[in-house]
Amino acid sequence: MRRPFQCLLAYPSDDPQRESKLLAAAGSHLYVLNSTNGKILSSWSTERGSAKLSQGTSILESEPFDGGTSSKVASTNQAETENLPPDKKRKLSITTTDVERTPAVDSGLRADPRSTASEVRKIYSAIVQLAITKDKKSIVIASDHDKCIRVLALDGSHELQLLSERHMPKRPCAVVISHDDTVILSADKFGDVYALPLFSLPQGEGRVSPSLNHTGPTSALRQLGPTANERTVHTLRNQQALKNQLMTVDRRPERERLRFEHQLIIGHVSLLTDLAIAPPFPKGASSGSYIITADRDEHIRVSRGISQAHIIESYCFGHTQFVSKICLLSWDSDLLVSGGGEDTIFLWKWVSGNVVQRFDLRSALRVHFEKRDSTAASASPLLEAIAAESIRAIDESNEGAVEASQSTDRPTPSPQEKGNSQSPIAVSGLWDVGLISDAQDGIYRRGQVAVAVEGIPALIMLSVTSNGHIGLTQTLTLRGNPLDVAILAEETLIIVSIDNVHKPGSTCDLRAASVSDEVRLQVFAMTRSGHAIVWEERTEQTALAKKVNEGGGIDLPDPDIPQLKELLYSAEKLRKRGPESRPQ
């Protein structure tokens, strides 16, 4: 079973006579493919890149954020180390199939505290974000386990060369490049947005990027410490706690310092989910540029540009569940599309924070939800019989409690409510397909947006007009759950990455090992019939899809299933559980 592509990114060639290219990430490997014939032009992996960087073969170098295990702390003698307060335990997503004992020589590996000094656990970092500059010469990738942002150079022969890698304090969840191709914006799961220069030397070397507008050293830390002292603390327990706090303060600058040029520009109190940069001077704007962020707490915040990111221009309120994806329309920068953990897609005039229109996703996916609910209801009669027998036994032993609970005025949920509770919606992707028709003869400009729902083998094509109307164009049935979408605007093609490991419509059940129709890419072409737009599948007629689905020379080991599920399906995990999930 071949590993699916979790990230896709298509970009046109500078020469109109040459073919477009497709960036495809499978696990920790990145491939550059010819979009016409599917030929592999070059490949790269996070493990290989880290090894090369550690050997000094890259153009630019930076010291990674080491979580506190710096050389200074490592050189502390045994007696001093034992007196220090214990470090905070870090959660490691490791399964038994991931463990492989090897000498600690690869800087791309994460150390396990339970290992000996000469051994580490092998945990390779998967690529979770891709971005490319407008001149098509630099690629920015973000990986998960090592929390690293890397910049790769893409030369004329499409060879990938590592320029720099910067280890962030938290895992990046969204990465974008500024419109002038000078600054990287990285949003992480701690609620922070960092601005990093695209090309940077370690802290203290070279000049400061003017786009970041620094006013002083970015790594300067304000010395914090407890207000109590030995004269105000008397009990033995409090004295020991004060001693531990003072030791922690002494170590804090060494533990938290990022050794590369950076600037913290935005902070949320919730987990960030997506990030976008608006083009300069959108309609009705009072500032030159804006940064739009979405978080788990149903918020979409509009902040000013990098130099004034502390100024919040507006909020887009209306979501009642988490916001997982936002999408700025390239052909009308005044419009923003958002989706998350509810049945509705929102269309915004984001500068003012007003909702223009809503679209019901469940109506477009009714057939898929009915099929999934009916399959789940009749999945296992044996398990249903066991569950019924267990309930009967509980009822007999707690007859009084059951009668009391039955006497309460609790309404019986309707079948529709049961269906909704069994099939929650979590938007996993929003993609701007581009402008379909320009304004003419009184007809508004019209574009399209593609929407993917986690665990549903379909792609919803929505039509958006410049006057703020959003409606359904077509629902494309796929051969598996969609993971990512790449748009080739010049050729009016949509390339969809398909999960070939899990069954269509499920995020847990695996496909049979004997399945011969293993599809990793599906291709759709746009056709016109008057004013109507129709997308037709061209997978079998496209050399790219045929070559990749047949193997295409991409030979990777079989994926580890628990890690793969964690990588591919993360939207539904954003949903809050319990009373705090109810909107106030």
Side-chain angles (χ1 to χ4, degrees):
M1 185 173 289
R2 304 187 186 98
R3 187 186 296 265
F5 297 115
Q6 72 267 14
C7 293
L8 294 180
L9 179 63
Y11 64 95
S13 175
D14 294 333
D15 185 358
Q17 304 298 326
R18 304 184 67 178
E19 300 88 354
S20 300
K21 306 300 182 294
L22 178 68
L23 296 174
S28 60
H29 296 260
L30 178 64
Y31 297 91
V32 181
L33 305 175
N34 187 312
S35 63
T36 301
N37 54 29
K39 179 182 178 182
I40 299 177
L41 303 177
S42 63
S43 63
W44 183 87
S45 67
T46 57
E47 309 95 66
R48 186 182 66 183
S50 297
K52 285 187 176 182
L53 189 66
S54 63
Q55 296 168 7
T57 57
S58 62
I59 298 175
L60 303 177
E61 294 185 356
S62 63
E63 294 184 41
F65 176 79
D66 54 11
T69 56
S70 60
S71 57
K72 182 176 180 179
V73 176
S75 61
T76 308
N77 59 46
Q78 184 71 19
E80 293 177 343
T81 304
E82 292 177 354
N83 292 329
L84 293 176
D87 290 338
K88 181 180 177 181
K89 295 182 179 180
R90 301 177 64 187
K91 179 181 177 181
L92 299 178
S93 300
I94 308 174
T95 59
T96 55
T97 56
D98 299 325
V99 180
E100 184 178 341
R101 302 293 186 179
T102 57
V105 296
D106 189 348
S107 62
L109 306 181
R110 179 194 286 182
D112 180 5
R114 293 170 292 184
S115 305
T116 63
S118 61
E119 294 179 330
V120 294
R121 289 193 173 209
K122 220 178 215 182
I123 309 176
Y124 293 128
S125 292
I127 298 171
V128 293
Q129 292 288 325
L130 286 175
I132 190 169
T133 56
K134 292 181 176 59
D135 60 6
K136 312 300 184 296
K137 294 182 179 179
S138 301
I139 299 172
V140 178
I141 66 173
S143 49
D144 54 2
H145 279 293
D146 58 4
K147 312 172 190 176
C148 188
I149 295 177
R150 296 176 172 88
V151 179
L152 307 178
L154 186 63
D155 57 21
S157 60
H158 304 286
E159 288 295 328
L160 297 172
Q161 183 181 12
L162 181 64
L163 297 183
S164 66
E165 62 178 12
R166 284 164 271 190
H167 293 255
M168 307 303 293
K170 300 295 179 181
R171 291 188 185 185
C173 59
V175 171
V176 296
I177 304 174
S178 62
H179 294 283
D180 58 359
D181 284 350
T182 60
V183 179
I184 303 170
L185 292 187
S186 169
D188 63 30
K189 296 191 174 183
F190 199 67
D192 295 331
V193 177
Y194 287 89
L196 316 171
L198 183 65
F199 303 109
S200 175
L201 289 171
Q203 185 83 32
E205 300 183 20
R207 64 181 181 87
V208 175
S209 172
S211 300
L212 295 183
N213 192 22
H214 288 263
T215 58
T218 57
S219 63
L221 294 175
R222 185 162 57 97
Q223 187 73 13
L224 300 176
T227 57
N229 54 54
E230 295 179 354
R231 296 180 180 180
T232 59
V233 175
H234 305 290
T235 64
L236 292 178
R237 179 180 296 178
N238 290 343
Q239 288 177 358
Q240 183 61 38
L242 176 62
K243 182 179 178 182
N244 291 341
Q245 291 177 14
L246 293 173
M247 290 180 179
T248 303
V249 168
D250 292 338
R251 294 171 57 193
R252 186 174 296 154
E254 193 67 35
R255 291 171 61 90
E256 295 185 357
R257 182 186 174 198
L258 297 180
R259 298 179 180 86
F260 51 81
E261 186 181 342
H262 68 282
Q263 184 180 5
L264 177 61
I265 60 173
I266 294 176
H268 280 236
V269 294
S270 179
L271 184 152
L272 283 176
T273 56
D274 208 358
L275 170 71
I277 300 182
F281 300 105
K283 300 175 185 178
S286 59
S287 178
S289 62
Y290 291 88
I291 301 171
I292 306 175
T293 50
D295 65 25
R296 189 188 180 193
D297 284 346
E298 308 98 35
H299 299 150
I300 299 176
R301 182 197 294 185
V302 180
S303 307
R304 292 194 178 179
I306 296 173
S307 60
Q308 295 181 311
H310 59 282
I311 301 176
I312 300 175
E313 190 72 17
S314 64
Y315 282 95
C316 298
F317 290 129
H319 283 275
T320 58
Q321 289 287 344
F322 62 87
V323 185
S324 56
K325 293 295 178 180
I326 56 177
C327 178
L328 273 171
L329 302 185
S330 59
W331 52 275
D332 192 337
S333 59
D334 195 29
L335 297 176
L336 173 76
V337 181
S338 66
E342 54 206 315
D343 296 0
T344 307
I345 290 291
F346 287 76
L347 181 63
W348 306 86
K349 292 281 188 179
W350 59 268
V351 176
S352 59
N354 295 326
V355 180
V356 180
Q357 194 174 358
R358 297 175 173 89
F359 176 80
D360 181 27
L361 281 177
R362 192 170 294 275
S363 61
L365 295 171
R366 190 175 306 278
V367 174
H368 295 276
F369 278 116
E370 289 176 354
K371 180 179 179 181
R372 190 168 74 173
D373 291 345
S374 62
T375 303
S378 58
S380 178
L382 178 60
L383 291 179
E384 291 180 0
I386 295 175
E389 185 65 27
S390 301
I391 294 174
R392 189 180 301 110
I394 294 174
D395 290 346
E396 292 174 355
S397 60
N398 301 280
E399 184 176 354
V402 172
E403 291 178 356
S405 63
Q406 290 176 349
S407 64
T408 59
D409 296 331
R410 185 175 301 170
T412 302
S414 65
Q416 183 179 3
E417 291 173 343
K418 290 182 179 180
N420 290 343
S421 63
Q422 292 175 358
S423 303
I425 283 181
V427 174
S428 58
L430 288 173
W431 299 273
D432 177 23
V433 178
L435 184 66
I436 302 301
S437 61
D438 211 337
Q440 56 182 352
D441 299 330
I443 300 176
Y444 293 98
R445 302 175 72 203
R446 183 160 54 108
Q448 284 196 348
V449 174
V451 184
V453 175
E454 188 171 85
I456 297 296
L459 195 67
I460 306 170
M461 307 303 297
L462 300 180
S463 173
V464 182
T465 60
S466 56
N467 67 330
H469 175 76
I470 183 170
L472 178 65
T473 299
Q474 190 177 358
T475 301
L476 305 178
T477 301
L478 305 177
R479 304 187 201 179
N481 302 331
L483 302 178
D484 203 358
V485 172
I487 312 295
L488 287 173
E490 294 79 6
E491 297 148 17
T492 61
L493 291 178
I494 292 179
I495 304 173
V496 186
S497 174
I498 301 297
D499 180 6
N500 60 309
V501 176
H502 297 87
K503 289 182 179 180
S506 174
T507 61
C508 301
D509 298 334
L510 303 180
R511 296 178 187 243
S514 59
V515 174
S516 58
D517 185 20
E518 189 171 310
V519 176
R520 288 194 287 180
L521 292 181
Q522 278 187 261
V523 179
F524 295 87
M526 185 182 71
T527 59
R528 296 177 181 269
S529 177
H531 291 295
I533 302 296
V534 179
W535 293 91
E536 298 179 349
E537 184 173 1
R538 298 288 177 82
T539 303
E540 304 303 329
Q541 294 80 19
T542 306
L544 167 67
K546 290 179 63 177
K547 188 174 182 65
V548 171
N549 293 336
E550 291 172 358
I554 301 176
D555 187 16
L556 295 174
D558 290 342
D560 177 77
I561 300 304
Q563 279 192 350
L564 185 66
K565 180 184 176 182
E566 180 183 358
L567 173 65
L568 301 183
Y569 301 110
S570 58
E572 182 59 35
K573 295 178 182 178
L574 297 172
R575 193 178 305 277
K576 296 178 182 178
R577 311 296 178 185
E580 69 274 8
S581 63
R582 303 190 187 100
Q584 300 295 326

